[in-house]
Amino acid sequence: MIQNISISLLLLITLACQPKVSMQRNFDFNTGWQFYVTQDSTAHNIDLSALEWKTVQLPHDWSVEFPFDSVKGEGCTGYLPGGIGWYKKEFNMDVSDDEKVYVWFDGVYNNSEYWLNGQKLGEHPYGYSPFYFDLSNHLNTNGRSNELVVKVDRSRYADSRWYSGSGIYRNVKLVKVNKLHIPIWGTFVKTPSVSEDQAVVEIEISVNNTKEEHETCDVVTEIIDPEGTVVGRMVNEGCFSKSGSSTITHKLSLKKPRLWDIKKPQLYIAKTSIIRKGELIDQYSTPFGIRSFRFDKDKGFFLNNENMKIKGVCLHHDAGLVGAAVPKGVWRRRLQLLKDAGCNAIRVSHNPASDEFLELCDEMGFLVQDEFFDEWDYPKDKRFNMNERHDDYITRGYTEHFQQWAKFDLTNTMLAHRNHPCVFQWSIGNEIEWTYPRNAKATGFFGNMNWDGNYFWSPPPFSPERIKKEYESLPKQKYEIGKTAHKLAKWTRELDTTRPVIANCILPSASLESGYADALDVVGYSYRRVMYDYARGNYPDKTVMGTENVPQWHEWKAIEDRPYISGTFLWTGFDYMGESNGHWPQKATPSGLLDLAGFPKPPYHMYKTLWNHEPHIYMCTNTAAKSQYHVVDGKLLEKKPGAWEQFLWFWYDVNEHWNYKKGEEVIVEVISNASKVELLLNEKSLGVKELAQFPDRIYKWSVPFVAGKLVAKAVESEAMTEIQTSGNPAALNVEVDHNSLLANGADVAHIVVQVVDENNNPVRDMELELMFEVAGPIISLGVDNGCERNVQAFQSNKIKTHQGRAMMIVQARDKTGSGTIIIKSDNLKPVETVLRVQ
């Protein structure tokens, strides 16, 4: 029973000191690892003492350290190798008889096994879910060293439809606790009632007693507001904790709560302490946010009772040159670029996110759809979607483990992530329908001789009744999609009912009749915006939204026009490695708003004008011969009328320069949310045009080329942009996002180099090779130019520019001093940049 008044004097004294009292449970375990990798897929049992180990720091992705290889690699995973990797770490631990020690992994890709001092701890096949092992029974505590060994079997190097990375690519921690403790992921904070005036905070606390005898303790939770002030306290005095696990619930009301939202993501902390005989023996801090949200089948999405559109993007877990081992600072830069465009939501595709990524989304104000699986009962073809056309070893993926491990991985993911206020949807699967043949056959889209429409742009050729009849008449498989969906949804709701269950449905017309959609609270549509009205007419009680859509204006227009569609997740926020089978030397899929290096592309600017009220303007050019447009009777028209309404993932070619042949006809395109834009060439107006003239939302002018300055400016605001004809390369312009770094072995800076002419105009139509020299307490994580067809190894000190630019990422060591980066190119003056590491 909760006691708020009558408690012991000793406990009162302890509580009064609580803001100053803290205990360390978690210890960074990322440094001092030894690593060895072999490409021999048969090297499962080897003599570890005979290996040539190298020292690495975690997180670590070994695949991204290798050259791209069109022969030994596969396009589905970005032409980078796999192999079998071994990690080992020696450490000492001061542990009493009253304590336990765990090792916690946030993600290891994949098929990993673990030993401590020669004793096997266990294994973990899935590459994306968090997990931990109890080390206590095998731990040397008598001054002798301990050795933890990890084997990662990534010999199936084509086991994914995107670049997965290899190794211990997320953070690792040691957790040391009393035998009477709150377990890892042992709290769940809910806010069942939220308003501007008052919020109810409810906290479920698990308490583990691993002793044989019973224990009596006090459990205290304090709520700390975003300013660090204790604003609430709950006490359970004299709890009787029997051997095993028990649950305590703390509940209180907060007046005038500081709400978490996308504009001002304010975070509280619930600090829970276990006190035994006046002694603090365990303390567990849970960051959380107070917010409410709901989906309405008629009005869409509401956050804290504010109706808004979900302006989302899909993200894979790689980040260009760092591969899958992404430093927090790299994610922060990428998320800020998306935030600047007006993005407010992320769909992590198609696997659970890292805890560090979710922490950033909590802090920066992003909604997150956390996705569990890309495969269920049956495998996907990793080289080609939609059909299973192979049966080779290297492509076998998670389906091999799904029956045994799915509940474990789903459960761990939810326990680890459910206190993040950013997470607002649990997705049980992505485009699963292809792997159950009845779905495609029943839709009428495929193998129907009487139908000649286009799958992307045509509504279903069959009625719902016909689809259901066709589906039920087709041969059943061992596993049925509806039954598996209900099983996964049931497991999800057993752990959390505060967030809706969703899935990304690629064949929703069949999913609505197969039982799949019945398991969902929200039905996500993958590339099926043409079915929004179909769903509204045939399934008016279903809540529907886009969950994977192309980054084009027509996609957003379909959502703007329909208040009952909550929003979308565009494919994708950034270009990503992989899914490029047979396209060598293309290592990546260029569907992003930004490229691999984080340089914005035209769709970024388009969505910045759609998702923001602030004025924005962007300009690009191309010759009339190469442009999508031509002049007819004095009007600029599409060469293929209406093409903009069916553009898919990739933007057509345009240039960000003003360098052409004299008199050559050039099409100038301007993307802006301004209602009127004027174009000027060398200060001479080429006319004012109105956005209403252009249904594709792209201003256009046909201009005979004359060297000089091209300026596009909004008529009713100060927004403007310009492009200057550039001369020959004359210098290197260097921009650094952080001039000082923390000496913590993790902090990063992005070094962006742009080739410029003698007047400091960017040179975007010529390419140079850049060379980098790094010295001092920093290391290079690699170089890239952002181009999806650049297959130079990331781990290099030189790079050829793309559009005249390139980037290096450097990381601080754990020592202070001055880090120096010198950038050189033939015939140009070297540039030196100095970073303080402190």
Side-chain angles (χ1 to χ4, degrees):
M1 178 178 180
I2 296 179
Q3 304 283 340
N4 285 314
I5 300 175
S6 177
I7 55 177
S8 69
L9 178 61
L10 178 60
L11 187 56
L12 272 172
I13 295 172
T14 305
L15 289 174
C17 298
Q18 281 295 299
K20 300 177 184 178
V21 173
S22 63
M23 290 188 65
Q24 186 174 5
R25 288 172 47 113
N26 300 331
F27 299 84
D28 187 296
F29 210 53
N30 285 335
T31 59
W33 288 82
Q34 300 293 303
F35 173 70
Y36 174 82
V37 67
T38 175
Q39 302 300 312
D40 182 0
S41 62
T42 65
H44 290 276
N45 298 299
I46 56 179
D47 181 3
L48 299 183
S49 63
L51 300 181
E52 295 184 9
W53 298 90
K54 74 171 185 176
T55 301
V56 297
Q57 177 173 304
L58 307 182
H60 176 244
D61 173 5
W62 80 67
S63 288
V64 81
E65 296 175 350
F66 283 88
F68 295 95
D69 193 323
S70 62
V71 177
K72 297 180 181 179
E74 289 277 352
C76 55
T77 47
Y79 298 106
L80 286 170
I84 297 178
W86 293 85
Y87 295 86
K88 70 172 183 176
K89 180 178 170 70
E90 294 186 2
F91 63 101
N92 292 299
M93 284 295 295
D94 181 15
V95 183
S96 71
D97 293 339
D98 201 30
E99 292 178 316
K100 293 183 72 67
V101 178
Y102 302 87
V103 61
W104 169 92
F105 294 87
D106 198 27
V108 179
Y109 204 91
N110 62 350
N111 296 311
S112 50
E113 298 176 73
Y114 302 81
W115 294 265
L116 178 64
N117 299 327
Q119 302 297 311
K120 188 166 185 178
L121 299 171
E123 59 188 30
H124 190 74
Y126 196 32
Y128 298 109
S129 59
F131 57 99
Y132 60 89
F133 295 107
D134 186 347
L135 304 183
S136 307
N137 291 337
H138 307 301
L139 200 63
N140 293 325
T141 60
N142 54 1
R144 289 189 298 151
S145 177
N146 296 280
E147 184 181 68
L148 180 64
V149 174
V150 180
K151 173 187 164 187
V152 182
D153 184 356
R154 181 81 207 295
S155 55
R156 297 179 176 187
Y157 58 89
D159 64 348
S160 174
R161 297 187 303 114
W162 57 87
Y163 177 75
S164 64
S166 302
I168 309 177
Y169 71 101
R170 291 180 180 173
N171 288 318
V172 183
K173 296 177 184 177
L174 273 189
V175 182
K176 185 169 75 166
V177 293
N178 190 278
K179 288 185 176 179
L180 178 64
H181 64 278
I182 299 168
I184 295 172
W185 315 320
T187 62
F188 183 21
V189 182
K190 295 179 280 188
T191 53
S193 175
V194 176
S195 71
E196 292 183 357
D197 295 324
Q198 184 170 285
V200 174
V201 179
E202 183 178 308
I203 308 171
E204 294 178 7
I205 305 158
S206 296
V207 178
N208 279 5
N209 181 9
T210 59
K211 296 182 178 181
E212 294 183 0
E213 65 271 19
H214 299 322
E215 291 274 10
T216 301
C217 63
D218 303 309
V219 180
V220 181
T221 297
E222 291 184 317
I223 305 299
I224 303 168
D225 74 6
E227 304 300 326
T229 303
V230 176
V231 293
R233 180 176 287 131
M234 297 157 285
V235 181
N236 276 66
E237 186 179 3
C239 295
F240 184 69
S241 181
K242 62 182 180 180
S243 181
S245 181
S246 57
T247 302
I248 295 168
T249 299
H250 281 168
K251 188 173 184 179
L252 86 166
S253 295
L254 293 180
K255 292 183 178 180
K256 298 294 182 182
R258 311 272 286 277
L259 300 185
W260 184 96
D261 64 26
I262 58 176
K263 298 174 184 176
K264 196 171 184 181
Q266 302 187 88
L267 294 170
Y268 286 76
I269 295 174
K271 187 162 68 173
T272 303
S273 303
I274 297 179
I275 300 168
R276 182 180 58 192
K277 298 179 181 178
E279 179 188 3
L280 178 66
I281 63 168
D282 192 27
Q283 194 170 75
Y284 193 105
S285 291
T286 309
F288 70 98
I290 298 174
R291 82 283 188 268
S292 67
F293 61 86
R294 71 181 190 276
F295 287 85
D296 186 286
K297 64 183 179 63
D298 300 317
K299 298 179 181 179
F301 177 69
F302 292 78
L303 177 63
N304 298 327
N305 289 322
E306 179 185 351
N307 189 209
M308 65 176 64
K309 293 292 188 183
I310 296 164
K311 302 172 181 178
V313 299
C314 301
L315 288 182
H316 275 312
H317 71 297
D318 71 306
L321 66 90
V322 296
V326 186
K328 194 170 185 177
V330 172
W331 275 132
R332 187 181 295 278
R333 172 181 179 261
R334 290 185 162 226
L335 289 173
Q336 188 60 56
L337 285 164
L338 292 172
K339 194 82 171 177
D340 293 344
C343 175
N344 63 23
I346 307 293
R347 173 177 172 239
V348 288
S349 316
H350 305 289
N351 46 260
S354 71
D355 191 64
E356 198 166 59
F357 180 87
L358 295 178
E359 286 176 358
L360 277 172
C361 290
D362 288 342
E363 296 168 14
M364 299 178 71
F366 285 93
L367 299 163
V368 173
Q369 181 191 114
D370 211 357
E371 195 154 68
F372 299 141
F373 305 118
D374 186 54
E375 293 180 324
W376 291 353
D377 302 304
Y378 300 105
K380 290 183 178 179
D381 193 304
K382 309 307 186 297
R383 299 184 182 95
F384 300 96
N385 285 333
M386 298 189 296
N387 293 295
E388 180 62 14
R389 286 174 279 189
H390 61 89
D391 191 29
D392 51 350
Y393 173 81
I394 63 171
T395 60
R396 299 297 87 191
Y398 184 65
T399 289
E400 306 256 311
H401 309 286
F402 181 78
Q403 305 304 327
Q404 178 182 351
W405 286 89
K407 187 173 184 179
F408 177 88
D409 292 321
L410 182 151
T411 298
N412 275 18
T413 297
M414 290 188 65
L415 292 177
H417 294 176
R418 64 184 180 176
N419 288 316
H420 287 284
C422 65
V423 176
F424 80 130
Q425 293 176 325
W426 300 115
S427 172
I428 59 174
N430 168 64
E431 295 186 357
I432 298 294
E433 296 99 320
W434 295 128
T435 63
Y436 299 81
R438 286 203 293 169
N439 292 276
K441 293 177 180 177
T443 62
F445 284 117
F446 312 100
N448 178 7
M449 296 180 62
N450 298 317
W451 182 76
D452 60 359
N454 182 291
Y455 171 71
F456 269 95
W457 313 119
S458 301
F462 289 170
S463 68
E465 294 78 15
R466 173 76 183 275
I467 292 171
K468 188 170 185 63
K469 181 179 178 181
E470 293 285 339
Y471 184 83
E472 292 178 345
S473 69
L474 291 164
K476 294 182 178 180
Q477 295 175 273
K478 179 179 180 181
Y479 303 106
E480 297 181 32
I481 192 170
K483 290 183 178 179
T484 299
H486 278 275
K487 177 175 65 176
L488 295 172
K490 176 177 177 290
W491 293 342
T492 303
R493 294 185 182 109
E494 285 173 349
L495 293 170
D496 182 18
T497 57
T498 70
R499 300 169 174 92
V501 176
I502 192 171
N504 186 44
C505 298
I506 188 67
L507 298 171
S509 60
S511 295
L512 287 159
E513 295 297 332
S514 66
Y516 185 5
D518 294 336
L520 308 176
D521 301 306
V522 180
V523 184
Y525 277 25
S526 186
Y527 306 114
R528 300 300 289 134
R529 68 165 175 80
V530 296
M531 276 190 60
Y532 292 158
D533 295 336
Y534 171 93
R536 185 71 169 168
N538 291 288
Y539 308 92
D541 293 329
K542 288 289 185 185
T543 301
V544 170
M545 68 171 290
T547 41
E548 189 168 323
N549 301 100
V550 295
Q552 303 286 351
W553 152 233
H554 63 74
E555 202 74 78
W556 188 248
K557 185 178 186 301
I559 293 165
E560 269 192 348
D561 293 343
R562 294 164 176 82
Y564 57 89
I565 300 297
S566 299
T568 187
F569 293 95
L570 302 176
W571 190 264
T572 50
F574 289 80
D575 293 352
Y576 60 95
M577 288 196 292
E579 205 167 0
S580 52
N581 187 71
H583 295 293
W584 179 266
Q586 181 177 308
K587 67 178 184 289
T589 301
S591 62
L593 302 181
L594 303 101
D595 67 19
L596 288 170
F599 300 140
K601 302 193 298 183
Y604 177 88
H605 296 284
M606 173 60 80
Y607 270 85
K608 191 168 184 177
T609 69
L610 296 171
W611 285 352
N612 273 301
H613 295 298
E614 293 79 12
H616 180 65
I617 192 163
Y618 163 82
M619 181 165 49
C620 56
T621 64
N622 210 338
T623 63
K626 295 181 179 179
S627 173
Q628 298 285 307
Y629 308 96
H630 61 172
V631 178
V632 179
D633 297 329
K635 295 181 179 180
L636 260 173
L637 303 174
E638 289 180 295
K639 291 177 179 177
K640 181 181 178 183
W644 71 271
E645 296 179 279
Q646 295 186 357
F647 283 147
L648 291 174
W649 298 273
F650 313 121
W651 207 268
Y652 50 84
D653 287 339
V654 291
N655 303 314
E656 294 182 353
H657 64 70
W658 187 239
N659 285 63
Y660 297 97
K661 296 176 182 178
K662 185 176 180 180
E664 188 172 19
E665 184 183 9
V666 179
I667 306 301
V668 178
E669 301 179 32
V670 173
I671 298 173
S672 180
N673 49 11
S675 59
K676 296 179 182 179
V677 168
E678 182 179 16
L679 188 69
L680 301 97
L681 177 57
N682 296 329
E683 300 183 356
K684 179 182 178 181
S685 177
L686 302 181
V688 174
K689 298 192 178 185
E690 297 184 7
L691 187 59
Q693 297 174 244
F694 303 98
D696 60 356
R697 288 187 63 93
I698 300 176
Y699 290 91
K700 291 170 281 288
W701 286 262
S702 177
V703 182
F705 176 73
V706 176
K709 182 190 292 186
L710 194 65
V711 176
K713 64 178 184 179
V715 173
E716 298 170 351
S717 74
E718 296 182 356
M720 64 171 291
T721 189
E722 64 180 50
I723 304 176
Q724 179 84 36
T725 302
S726 60
N728 291 324
L732 302 175
N733 186 2
V734 179
E735 293 185 359
V736 183
D737 61 348
H738 298 290
N739 291 312
S740 64
L741 300 175
L742 297 176
N744 58 7
D747 212 4
V748 297
H750 297 78
I751 317 298
V752 176
V753 184
Q754 174 68 59
V755 180
V756 296
D757 67 9
E758 61 182 359
N759 295 314
N760 205 39
N761 297 310
V763 178
R764 297 188 182 276
D765 64 331
M766 298 184 217
E767 310 304 346
L768 300 180
E769 185 172 77
L770 306 179
M771 289 147 286
F772 296 80
E773 296 177 5
V774 176
I778 57 174
I779 59 171
S780 167
L781 296 182
V783 292
D784 192 21
N785 60 20
C787 180
E788 74 278 3
R789 298 181 70 82
N790 167 41
V791 289
Q792 177 200 296
F794 289 135
Q795 303 292 311
S796 175
N797 67 342
K798 62 183 180 179
I799 183 74
K800 189 175 183 179
T801 63
H802 176 63
Q803 297 183 24
R805 66 190 172 192
M807 181 181 72
M808 168 181 272
I809 300 177
V810 297
Q811 188 170 54
R813 296 181 185 271
D814 58 359
K815 297 179 181 179
T816 60
S818 294
T820 303
I821 305 107
I822 299 175
I823 305 107
K824 300 178 180 179
S825 187
D826 290 345
N827 302 319
L828 299 183
K829 183 180 178 180
V831 178
E832 179 177 304
T833 295
V834 178
L835 305 180
R836 297 189 308 276
V837 182
Q838 53 193 13

